[in-house]
Amino acid sequence: MRGIKQFAKPTSLEYALKMLHMHQGDALILAGGTHLALQKQTKYSFLIDIKELGFNYIKEEGDNIKIGATTRPVDIINSDLLKEFAGGILVEAASKIGSVLTRNLVTVGGNVYSMFPWSNLPSALLVLDASVELRSIDESRIVKLQELLQGNPRKFVEKNELITSIIIPKSSKNLKTSYKVFSLTENDYDIAILAVGLSMESSICKGARIALGAAISPCDLLPEVEKILENQELSSGLIEKVANKAIENISLIKDFRTTDQHRIDVVKILIKRALEEIRV
Amino acid sequence: MEVVLNINGKDLALQIEPGDILINTLRNNGYFGPKRACDTGDCGACTILLDGMPVNSCLIFTASAVGKKIETVESLGTVTNPHPLQKKFVEEGAVQCGYCIPGMLMSAKALLDKNNNPTEDEVKAALSGHLCRCTGYVKQIKAVISAAEELRGDK
C-alpha cells in the first residue's frame, strides 16, 4: 500500500490508544488486513497493527459473553462456548466468511467496522442483541451494535477510538436460531444474508429478532416483521405471512449481479427456510 | 524500515516499506513458491503458513509478519527428496499447470500437521480456499489422503 510512512505494532492498549490519539486523522487501524491490503494507495501515513494487544479471546464475563476485537472467525468456529450458544448461530455465520484461508485472518472487529453489505457477522450479532465496546485514551463507551451500524461505523467511531470487544448478553443463549445466506457461487459475495432468533415456548413464539443483510445495507433488524411473530404459534400460514411482510417495503442496494425481483424472491425464500427450520 | 523475518526456519534481515505486502516481499527475495494470481484473497495461490496456519500472503502486511514463523512451499522438500505430499501430487497426476499447487500443498501440510488421518471431507474443507482451473480437485484430494497414509507409515 503506497503512502504509508510508519508502521507500529503496539503490545499494550494504553500505548495503542496514545498513538492513535497522537496521530488521529492520519492513522489507519490494521486488524485482519483483508480489506486494507487490497488498497493500492492511502492518504494516511501511519499504520497501527492492533493484533498484539491481547484482544483475541472469547470469554464469559458476568451476564455477558465477550469477544475480543481481534478474534478471528476460526477462533469462533473452534469455540465450545459459542458452539452451544443460541444454536451456534455465530459459529454458522463465521463459517460463511470468505474462504478457509481468510477465516484465519479476518477479525470480528474489522468485520463489524468495515460493514460491507456481505459481512457475515453483523446480522448474527444483531439477532443476539450485541453491543460494541469502544475505547479512547480518555473514554470508554458501550453502544448497541445496531446504533453503530446505522450511524455508519466509519463515522460513528471517533478518530481516536478503537473497537475493543463485542458484548453479547447471555439472555440470548436460548434463542432458537437459523442463519441463511445466498450467493450465486460458493465463493462469491452473498446476495442476501438472513439471521433469525426466536424465543420459543413450545410452539409459541414469544419474541423474535430477524436481521437482513447483503440485500440491504447496512444490515438491520426488521421490527415490523418481528412484531407479526410475537405471541403467535409458528404455523406455516404465519411463516408465509411473515415472508410476505419482509419483502413489502424492502429497499434493496444496487447489485449488478442479479435482478431486484430475484433478490426479493431470495429474501422471501430464506425467511421461509429459516423459520421452517426452527419450527421443525 | 528494517525488519527480520523468519522464513522457512531462517532469520532474514530485510529493508522494506511500511506498506509492503508479504507476497511481494517474499517473491522479491527469491521465494517464488507463493504465486500471485487474483491478488484479492480469492484464489489461494499465494498461500503460506503463518505460525502454522494457512493464510493468503497477498492480504498480509509484511511488517505484521515480524516475529512469526513464515513457511513457504520451499520448506517442504527438494527435487531429489520431495515431501510425501509433493510425491503423491505427482504420482496421482494432481499437477497440470502447477500454478495453484504451492498454495494447495501448504494448506494440505497444515491439515496433516494437525491431523494425520483426515477424512475426505476434512481434506475438501482444508483445500476449499484454493481454485484450480486445470485438473478439478479429485486427484488432489486423493493425493493428500495418500500422502497421509505414507506419513502414518501405512504404505
Side-chain angles (χ1 to χ4, degrees):
Chain A
M1 185 196 267
R2 284 191 296 273
I4 296 290
K5 295 188 180 62
Q6 259 184 298
F7 183 98
K9 203 179 194 178
T11 50
S12 82
L13 177 63
E14 288 65 33
Y15 191 46
L17 291 175
K18 215 180 264 180
M19 242 181 226
L20 195 55
H21 191 75
M22 273 168 60
H23 296 276
Q24 56 182 299
D26 193 29
L28 272 177
I29 302 292
L30 170 64
T34 52
H35 167 56
L36 278 190
L38 302 182
Q39 295 180 13
K40 300 293 174 214
Q41 180 83 39
T42 178
K43 59 177 184 167
Y44 299 92
S45 54
F46 210 81
L47 197 55
I48 304 176
D49 186 339
I50 60 162
K51 284 193 295 295
E52 304 284 318
L53 297 183
F55 289 147
N56 187 341
Y57 61 78
I58 299 165
K59 62 183 180 190
E60 293 183 77
E61 204 177 85
D63 294 332
N64 300 306
I65 287 183
K66 222 171 165 180
I67 305 177
T70 57
T71 305
R72 302 161 304 173
V74 63
D75 305 314
I76 293 179
I77 292 166
N78 293 331
S79 161
D80 290 334
L81 185 61
L82 294 177
K83 232 171 258 171
E84 303 296 318
F85 193 85
I89 187 170
L90 268 186
V91 173
E92 186 65 25
S95 66
K96 299 282 190 232
I97 292 174
S99 72
V100 66
L101 301 168
T102 45
R103 288 197 285 273
N104 291 336
L105 288 171
V106 167
T107 64
V108 175
N111 206 248
V112 167
Y113 179 81
S114 304
M115 193 46 237
F116 297 110
W118 55 84
S119 294
N120 286 96
L121 295 177
S123 43
L125 288 168
L126 278 178
V127 161
L128 298 176
D129 196 18
S131 299
V132 178
E133 187 182 22
L134 297 159
R135 292 281 299 271
S136 70
I137 196 160
D138 44 25
E139 207 192 343
S140 168
R141 57 177 178 146
I142 293 172
V143 296
K144 284 279 181 198
L145 174 66
Q146 195 182 19
E147 196 186 335
L148 175 81
L149 297 179
Q150 290 304 313
N152 182 358
R154 286 161 204 266
K155 290 183 185 151
F156 192 95
V157 179
E158 299 287 343
K159 296 279 178 230
N160 65 343
E161 269 183 328
L162 203 58
I163 295 179
T164 52
S165 68
I166 308 289
I167 298 165
I168 301 167
K170 281 187 187 166
S171 54
S172 297
K173 187 180 180 195
N174 294 321
L175 288 177
K176 301 281 177 217
T177 59
S178 179
Y179 186 87
K180 302 276 175 210
V181 298
F182 179 81
S183 57
L184 293 178
T185 63
E186 182 66 28
N187 59 353
D188 194 9
Y189 295 125
D190 293 325
I191 276 172
I193 298 173
L194 187 83
V196 177
L198 305 183
S199 61
M200 300 290 291
E201 268 177 28
S202 68
S203 63
I204 306 293
C205 170
K206 302 305 282 182
R209 290 178 75 85
I210 300 180
L212 178 62
I216 62 170
S217 185
C219 75
D220 200 8
L221 292 165
L222 308 176
E224 286 181 21
V225 180
E226 293 165 358
K227 237 179 272 164
I228 302 176
L229 280 159
E230 271 165 31
N231 296 313
Q232 300 293 320
E233 181 168 352
L234 195 58
S235 63
S236 52
L238 183 72
I239 290 173
E240 183 72 30
K241 206 170 138 191
V242 166
N244 284 328
K245 182 74 183 170
I247 55 171
E248 220 171 63
N249 294 315
I250 190 166
S251 67
L252 298 167
I253 57 165
K254 282 190 182 143
D255 194 333
F256 65 89
R257 293 170 296 174
T258 181
T259 62
D260 287 0
Q261 189 54 52
H262 179 218
R263 282 187 290 157
I264 287 171
D265 292 344
V266 165
V267 169
K268 190 173 166 181
I269 287 168
L270 291 188
I271 290 192
K272 278 196 202 173
R273 284 185 186 166
L275 292 173
E276 288 290 354
E277 188 180 282
I278 294 173
R279 191 164 78 109
V280 170
Chain B
M1 65 191 279
E2 190 170 315
V3 294
V4 176
L5 293 183
N6 185 286
I7 307 172
N8 300 337
K10 281 186 204 144
D11 280 341
L12 203 63
L14 297 170
Q15 197 64 37
I16 62 159
E17 292 298 322
D20 278 356
I21 301 298
L22 190 55
I23 177 139
N24 298 338
T25 307
L26 290 171
R27 292 185 62 85
N28 290 342
N29 286 283
Y31 296 92
F32 296 115
K35 299 287 186 278
R36 183 186 293 110
C38 72
D39 232 3
T40 52
D42 290 305
C43 75
C46 66
T47 300
I48 55 147
L49 302 189
L50 199 62
D51 282 346
M53 282 206 132
V55 289
N56 314 82
S57 63
C58 71
L59 296 180
I60 295 169
F61 284 87
T62 305
S64 280
V66 172
K68 298 190 180 294
K69 233 176 100 186
I70 299 166
E71 289 169 81
T72 69
V73 74
E74 281 90 347
S75 69
L76 272 191
T78 60
V79 175
T80 48
N81 184 24
H83 186 277
L85 273 166
Q86 289 167 313
K87 212 168 89 189
K88 294 298 176 185
F89 264 62
V90 172
E91 280 176 17
E92 293 287 348
V95 184
Q96 279 191 30
C97 89
Y99 208 78
C100 67
I101 301 300
M104 220 179 259
L105 284 169
M106 295 319 281
S107 281
K109 178 178 187 283
L111 171 71
L112 298 189
D113 282 350
K114 270 193 314 197
N115 174 3
N116 70 1
N117 193 9
T119 63
E120 192 176 315
D121 281 347
E122 284 167 339
V123 176
K124 282 182 185 172
L127 298 185
S128 64
H130 298 269
L131 299 182
C132 168
R133 297 283 100 131
C134 300
T135 65
Y137 303 94
V138 174
K139 292 176 175 184
Q140 293 147 356
I141 294 163
K142 267 191 192 165
V144 176
I145 290 172
S146 173
E149 284 168 1
E150 182 168 322
L151 282 165
R152 290 197 307 273
D154 289 0
K155 259 187 187 175

